[in-house]
Amino acid sequence: MKLLVDSSSSLLLSLLLAQLPLFTSGQPRRFHVHNDFDKLTNQTRHLLKLTQDLMKEHSLDTEIENHRFKSLPSMGNRATDLSSLELKPTLSQLHADLKSFEHHFEWLHRISRKHQHASIPKLLEIISQIKTLVNSLQRQMGKIEAPRIPLPSPSLPPHPAFHWEVVQSSLELLQQFRLFCDWATRAFLTLKSKVQQ
């Protein structure tokens, strides 16, 4: 009889231990997901501020002609689109767009260095922060098994011959990237609220 009692107790203890992860895993996992989106949002806001600061240094009296970069991501998103965002496709698209901007900023850095432009240190900081955000996005995508969108080779313009052309190219790229950062920040906040549900 004692043997049966001991066996029953042992079985009950094993069952309780087996169920323990079910009781403890739910809340920490959600907590980590929220932290991930907080980090992505903060990194994107920092990039937005860097972009706005650099734009202030590139003031021009003439209107910017947005036609130099043919392969930049299309920034036609509207606030009403936020409600229909889905987690995996949105992260995949933001990652692809961010990688595209990374290639364009690296091109801008190369031509700015050739013309010895004063914005080089801040350009390098933006590129560094883009790479950091790309890595954070890739980690988050890996956790939820979001696919990576194949990225075609960017169609980059010829190297500008004059300083004012460099400034024009810088402003066009910065304006488009500002729109991207604003949209990405809103998207991360929306996805975080959806994960909470």
Side-chain angles (χ1 to χ4, degrees), residues 17 23 26 40 46 49 67-68 94-95 104 110 118 129 133 141 145 153 155 181:
L17 288 174
F23 296 113
L40 291 169
H46 182 54
K49 184 179 184 308
H67 67 272
R68 286 175 173 78
L94 288 174
H95 176 264
H104 286 82
R110 288 193 297 271
Q129 292 301 316
L133 181 54
M141 289 167 65
E145 298 181 350
S153 298
S155 176
C181 289

Side-chain angles (χ1 to χ4, degrees), residues 55-111:
M55 286 183 69
K56 293 175 184 175
E57 299 181 10
H58 289 298
S59 58
L60 282 179
D61 295 332
T62 58
E63 188 175 340
I64 303 302
E65 300 177 5
N66 294 323
H67 67 272
R68 286 175 173 78
F69 301 101
K70 306 299 183 185
S71 57
L72 278 177
S74 174
M75 292 290 105
N77 301 302
R78 299 165 299 178
T80 53
D81 297 330
L82 290 169
S83 60
S84 60
L85 292 182
E86 298 179 10
L87 183 59
K88 291 184 181 182
T90 303
L91 291 186
S92 296
Q93 188 60 57
L94 288 174
H95 176 264
D97 291 348
L98 194 59
K99 289 293 292 181
S100 176
F101 275 110
E102 181 183 2
H103 292 315
H104 286 82
F105 271 106
E106 287 174 342
W107 173 87
L108 182 60
H109 171 246
R110 288 193 297 271
I111 66 166

Side-chain angles (χ1 to χ4, degrees), residues 144-164:
I144 63 170
E145 298 181 350
R148 293 193 191 184
I149 298 174
L151 192 65
S153 298
S155 176
L156 298 170
H159 284 202
F162 303 102
H163 174 79
W164 67 268

